[in-house]
Structure formats: structure tokens, C-alpha cells
Amino acid sequence: MKKGLYILLLSILFISCSDFQKTLKSDDTAAKFEMAEELYDAQKWAKSYRLLDQILQKYRGKPQAEKLTFMHAMCSYQLGDYYIASYHLDKFTDIYPQSEKAEQASFLSAKGYYHNSPVYSKEQKETVEAIEKLQLFVNAYPNSQYLNEANTLVKELDFKLEKKAFEIAKQYDLISDFKASIKSFNNFLLEFPGTTLRSEAYYYRLDAAYNLAILSIDYLKEDRLNEAIGYYNALKKTYPNYENLESATLMNERLQEELKTLTTKS
């Protein structure tokens, strides 16, 4: 019985594939439209896309064009081809701005850009583009059903930019380019005032300033010691319960000793 059921399923699959290939090769536009809809509803995105791709131009200017254009774009999105999907979804909203699908198309276009955003360690051009697209969507549809999701995606992308800038500043500290690290952390704190990495930025800025001061020659040392002590005071005042405050305090004690020694010499 199981063998018979297996054969039946194979037969249905074969007939289905055979029908698809037959329709794909035919000149019957209406048949292709009908099968494309059936495959789309069955979430057979690749096959539906192939049929839609063949007939889309033939329906330009006709009542069916709006539906076909949206389906064509959605197939690309569901297949994970987000560059192409965003392009087609943008095109759809340009051609049919009053469509009931315009809001969904606009959101999914922006979300396509989100999907193309790389990991934080890589160039973030696509991340910036995704934030811009999502913000445009939020501005255009402030009461959208997709608003919460759009805002969540923007926050995630913003954090990626924060992480990128933070790691660059931290890397300068690790390679002993302390002046560049301090400058980068100061820029980071100005650019991302609400960042969740703020306490870490305060700490690593202190670490870079500490190393720069300790390793400085005497005529530059006093100013740099005072600057580093100022960074410690800012960390302690702003984050009195910071988990690495003990390490920061040890740095401050060394800085104070160095400053005392330096002033005694002079």
C-alpha cells in the first residue's frame, strides 16, 4: 500500500512538473497567468516568478498589471533576492502609489535593504541606506501596521553602526594609537549619545588616555595626566557602579602618583 501511495505521489509530481513545463513553453498568456496565480498561492515562488517574468510586459497598461507587478516583486522577496525585490517593490509604489498594496510594498522594500545590511565589521553603506529607507517609510506611514517592526529594525541597524564605530575606536587603543582612540571615542560619544555602549566607551577612553599619559615624555605628561584623570572622574561620576570601576580606580591611582612625582620634580 505504501509503495502504491509513493508511486501515486510521484505521478502527481511528474504531471505537475510536466504541466508547468508545458505552460512555460506555450504562447498562451492567459494560461500562464492562471498557473502563475496558482503557484503563487501555493508559495511556489520560483516557478511563479518564471511565468510572471514571461508575461508581465504583455499586461502593461491593463487592469491585471497592478496585481502581476506586485506578485512578481513578492516572488523575488520570498526567494531572498532582496536587491531585486527592493527594486521591483519601489517600482511598484512609484507606478501604483494609491494601491492598497502600496504600504506593504514600501515596507518590504525597506526591509529588503535591512536584509542586505552586512555584519558590523564590514562596510556599512547598505546599513545607512536601510535606515534611510525605513525612516522614509515611517514618515510616509506614521500609523502603519508595520510601524513597530520598522522602528525595531531601525534600532537594530543603528546599533550596528554604533558597534562599528565603537570597535574602530577600541582597535586604535589595542594597536597603541592612543590619540586616535581618544578622539574616536569622543566622536563616538557625541554621535551616539544614547548608546548602550556608553559606559564601555568611557572606560576604554580612559584606558587610552592612561596609556598615552604614562608613556609620554615629561613636557607633555602633565596635561595628559590631567586629561586622563578627568576621564576617570567622568566615568566614576556617570557610572559609579560600573563593573570595571576597580580597574579604572587603579589606573587613576597610578595617574595621581605620576602627577605628584612630576610636580615634585618641577
Side-chain angles (χ1 to χ4, degrees):
M1 183 175 178
K2 288 183 179 179
K3 184 177 180 181
L5 180 61
Y6 178 71
I7 293 172
L8 176 61
L9 289 172
L10 281 178
S11 298
I12 292 171
L13 180 62
F14 177 78
I15 293 169
S16 176
C17 290
S18 177
D19 286 345
F20 170 73
Q21 290 296 333
K22 182 179 177 181
T23 304
L24 188 68
K25 294 175 182 178
S26 77
D27 296 324
D28 191 338
T29 302
K32 290 182 178 183
F33 189 169
E34 183 180 354
M35 180 169 281
E37 282 190 293
E38 291 174 358
L39 291 168
Y40 184 88
D41 291 339
Q43 299 184 5
K44 304 293 184 182
W45 312 116
K47 288 184 176 180
S48 181
Y49 182 86
R50 290 181 68 186
L51 290 167
L52 291 167
D53 213 36
Q54 288 187 348
I55 64 175
L56 194 58
Q57 291 296 333
K58 296 179 181 179
Y59 281 94
R60 291 296 183 201
K62 296 181 180 180
Q64 302 94 327
E66 180 181 331
K67 182 177 183 178
L68 286 173
T69 303
F70 181 78
M71 289 168 57
H72 185 251
M74 282 298 296
C75 284
S76 293
Y77 185 87
Q78 296 294 349
L79 289 167
D81 194 349
Y82 297 116
Y83 285 108
I84 297 297
S86 291
Y87 169 79
H88 286 307
L89 288 164
D90 283 340
K91 195 171 181 182
F92 175 84
T93 56
D94 287 342
I95 299 172
Y96 306 105
Q98 304 304 318
S99 171
E100 63 177 17
K101 297 290 188 180
E103 179 182 330
Q104 183 183 6
S106 181
F107 173 68
L108 291 179
S109 171
K111 195 172 180 180
Y113 281 83
Y114 160 84
H115 283 301
N116 287 324
S117 171
V119 296
Y120 77 86
S121 57
K122 295 186 177 181
E123 171 61 43
Q124 294 299 301
K125 177 176 176 289
E126 288 89 349
T127 302
V128 173
E129 288 177 342
I131 292 172
E132 291 173 352
K133 290 288 291 186
L134 284 163
Q135 194 58 59
L136 286 172
F137 170 78
V138 169
N139 294 341
Y141 298 97
N143 300 313
S144 173
Q145 61 178 312
Y146 305 109
L147 186 63
N148 289 338
E149 185 178 357
N151 286 329
T152 298
L153 296 179
V154 169
K155 287 180 182 178
E156 184 179 332
L157 294 166
D158 276 337
F159 181 75
K160 199 176 287 189
L161 296 181
E162 292 173 20
K163 184 71 171 173
K164 174 79 172 181
F166 177 85
E167 291 298 333
I168 289 173
K170 188 176 176 181
Q171 185 63 28
Y172 280 131
D173 188 26
L174 292 174
I175 64 173
S176 301
D177 191 347
F178 303 121
K179 287 194 287 186
S181 182
I182 294 166
K183 182 179 180 180
S184 294
F185 275 121
N186 282 331
N187 289 338
F188 172 80
L189 290 165
L190 286 171
E191 188 174 355
F192 305 104
T195 177
T196 57
L197 298 170
R198 192 172 181 82
S199 61
E200 292 294 300
Y202 270 57
Y203 176 79
Y204 283 106
R205 179 179 65 176
L206 166 61
D207 185 70
Y210 167 83
N211 285 304
L212 180 64
I214 295 299
L215 297 173
S216 291
I217 55 179
D218 283 354
Y219 85 94
L220 294 173
K221 202 164 194 176
E222 184 174 358
D223 287 343
R224 290 177 176 177
L225 287 167
N226 283 319
E227 181 180 53
I229 290 168
Y231 289 146
Y232 167 76
N233 290 332
L235 172 63
K236 184 178 180 181
K237 180 180 179 180
T238 310
Y239 300 101
N241 299 315
Y242 178 64
E243 59 182 359
N244 284 329
L245 192 61
E246 183 178 350
S247 172
T249 300
L250 291 174
M251 282 191 271
N252 180 59
E253 289 172 357
R254 173 75 187 280
L255 291 166
Q256 297 286 359
E257 289 172 6
E258 289 285 331
L259 185 60
K260 184 177 179 181
T261 301
L262 190 66
T263 53
T264 301
K265 283 183 183 181
S266 58

